[in-house]
Amino acid sequence: MTDLNEIVSAFSSEDQQKFITYLDKKNKRNDTKNIKLFNLLCKNELDSNAICTKLYGNKKNAYHALRKRLYESLIDFTANQSLQEENSADMQIIKFILASKAFLQQKQYKVAYKILDKAEKLASTNDLFPFLNEIYHTKIQYAYAYPFADIDALTVKFKTNQKNIHLEDELNIVYAKIRQTLNSIAYKGDILDFQTILTNILKEHNITLNDSMSFKSLYQLVTISSISAFITKDYLKIEPFLIDMYQIITKHKNKQKQLFYHIHILYAIANALFRNKKFKESLQYLELMHQHMQLQKKKYHKTFVLKYHLLKGLNLNYSNKQGSAIQLLETIRPAKHKDIETLLDINLSLILFYFQKLDFKKTHSLLSKLYHTDTWYAEKAGKEWLIKKNLIEILLHIELQNINLVESKLLSFKRQYIPYLKSINQQRVIIYLSFVEMYYKSPENACTPAFKSKIKANFNWQKIHKEDIFVISFYSWLISKATNTTVFKTTLNLINKAQSELTIT
């Protein structure tokens, strides 16, 4: 996919309409074909050669020139949209700094320093350390000309601020390295000792998990911990840390100013609680998240709306409110959204819900709409998502008794994923698949004591509350076949058992 197609594919229907309006105002001639090209790209029904023929016949140079102009217009439009949504405090501080420098050059020092004082107050309130650095630098530079400037006090402020900048920069590097590690593990399938890497990176940058000077730093610490839990599937370890961090956040002077990070943190806590099967508590934090999404004229509502509804739907489903969960996700599921990963998670969750409901026709219908290649899905959502999708597909075709498809899907899965699963020491998935194959070949043996004993021997979970909720969901299908119960009832029974263990521990 070219850059142009990539940009267009991420546009929501609302963004498409805004861009068409933007082009319409920009066009000075009636025969401009940029809107026609954009509409054709949005439909995604024709390849590049077919579009060229439709618009220009065989004039490929004209077509490529049109694509170039449309690409430039898309960049301009996106930049303008970002400027409109830019943090108003940032823009105001920039204006103050520029104005003060103009007055300083005109030797109007009193006016300049008053403006710089306003800029300092605003930047300090919002923990905008790079701006504060420029403000203190400017104040110190001209302190000789302004008798009321306390150069010693300014120097102390300047050096303290530099420490804050350094910590924030170091945390930013750590954050980037951890995210890169996540990408290596979840998306490329590299074998890495994540906990060792996390510890080494923090030591390398002289940072402990108690260092937190800005709201952004708190957010990054929360995110690093969440990534660690995602990799290890141990959300119980980070839950106390997240709750403690949020207590600090609720007292933070900038909790309303740094709304974007605040919403992210609430989502991280709600997600950890869901993964720990604490659905009631998770929904409480989701409600807080939703309340914050309404602030500042719903500035970040669109950014988080899919994540919010996905997590709410998952909580509802595993709280035995499957109908409400399906209705919610069906209602809010858009055809396109910039948050492609969450959109794919919503689609996969719906597929799982319908499968658990035994509505195999609907499950098949939704799966058939996932028409991209495995490579594309791995790039957008990661290998774990892709493995789940392929496993559900195998289970579905077993239920539908599509014998030939089961054979080919099993063969394809083994060829593509068994080496990878072995490399990351995920033997349980391989064992699980072997049981699926056993059932598929001899379903009549599923309820026999021998089959049940084999399952118990290979999946002997002493503490089910420590098991990943999605692993439990797949395991439940196997147990349902051995106990002759429905998959959803089996899932809920295992979840209830996990919750009982949590209350005891």
Side-chain angles (χ1 to χ4, degrees), residues 93 97 101 116 119-124 127-142 154-166 168-169:
I93 293 166
I97 292 172
K101 286 186 175 182
L116 285 171
E120 181 185 348
K121 186 178 179 181
L122 191 55
S124 182
D127 285 341
L128 298 173
F129 304 128
F131 285 132
L132 282 169
N133 192 68
E134 182 64 22
I135 292 161
Y136 295 139
H137 179 90
T138 305
K139 279 187 170 185
I140 291 168
Q141 183 183 353
Y142 288 91
L154 284 171
T155 302
V156 170
K157 283 183 177 182
F158 180 70
K159 288 183 177 179
T160 302
N161 187 65
Q162 282 189 318
K163 288 178 183 177
N164 290 334
I165 290 175
H166 178 71
E168 199 164 75
D169 285 345

Side-chain angles (χ1 to χ4, degrees), residues 29-120:
R29 291 165 38 190
N30 294 326
D31 61 343
T32 306
K33 298 179 187 287
N34 52 10
I35 294 176
K36 288 181 181 178
L37 173 58
F38 180 71
N39 284 327
L40 288 168
L41 291 171
C42 288
K43 288 178 182 177
N44 196 28
E45 293 172 353
L46 303 173
D47 63 20
S48 191
N49 289 330
I51 293 174
C52 177
T53 303
K54 190 175 180 69
L55 294 176
Y56 287 107
N58 292 322
K59 298 176 182 177
K60 288 189 177 181
N61 288 338
Y63 172 62
H64 287 303
L66 176 65
R67 282 180 66 91
K68 186 180 177 182
R69 290 196 300 274
L70 182 64
Y71 178 80
E72 289 169 354
S73 295
L74 281 164
I75 299 301
D76 289 343
F77 170 77
T78 305
N80 288 335
Q81 289 287 101
S82 297
L83 280 173
Q84 288 173 19
E85 296 170 5
E86 185 58 70
N87 189 313
S88 57
D90 290 25
M91 297 304 291
Q92 189 60 55
I93 293 166
I94 290 169
K95 289 176 185 177
F96 282 151
I97 292 172
L98 289 173
S100 68
K101 286 186 175 182
F103 286 120
L104 286 167
Q105 287 171 4
Q106 295 165 19
K107 298 185 178 181
Q108 297 183 43
Y109 302 116
K110 185 178 178 181
V111 176
Y113 270 79
K114 279 189 175 181
I115 294 170
L116 285 171
D117 287 343
K118 287 183 180 181
E120 181 185 348

Side-chain angles (χ1 to χ4, degrees), residues 10-20 77 302 338:
F11 269 39
S12 64
S13 54
E14 186 183 349
D15 290 331
Q16 289 172 15
Q17 194 52 52
K18 283 181 181 178
F19 183 61
I20 289 169
F77 170 77
K302 190 188 291 185
K338 288 177 182 177

Side-chain angles (χ1 to χ4, degrees), residues 189-192 417-431:
D190 291 353
I191 310 158
L192 298 167
Y417 301 112
I418 294 295
Y420 165 67
L421 290 166
K422 284 179 178 176
S423 72
I424 61 170
N425 202 28
Q426 280 293 336
Q427 294 295 328
R428 288 200 312 179
V429 182
I430 299 168
I431 294 167

Side-chain angles (χ1 to χ4, degrees), residues 266-275 278-291 293-294 301 304-332 342 345-346 349-350 353 356 469-470 488:
L266 286 167
Y267 173 77
I269 297 170
N271 183 56
L273 288 165
F274 162 72
R275 300 299 284 257
K278 298 179 181 181
F279 309 128
K280 186 179 177 182
E281 293 92 330
S282 178
L283 285 166
Q284 287 171 350
Y285 275 95
L286 275 176
E287 179 55 33
L288 271 175
M289 177 185 174
H290 189 258
Q291 288 172 16
M293 284 162 61
Q294 310 311 305
H301 185 272
F304 291 98
V305 67
L306 290 191
K307 281 183 170 63
Y308 165 76
H309 281 115
L310 169 63
L311 196 47
K312 186 174 182 180
L314 286 164
N315 273 290
L316 288 171
N317 184 66
Y318 290 98
S319 301
N320 198 16
K321 296 176 182 176
Q322 192 176 72
S324 300
I326 290 172
Q327 185 181 10
L328 174 67
L329 295 191
E330 285 283 18
T331 305
I332 61 93
T342 305
D345 284 340
I346 287 172
S349 296
L350 272 170
F353 296 170
Q356 290 174 332
I469 195 166
F470 297 112
F488 191 53

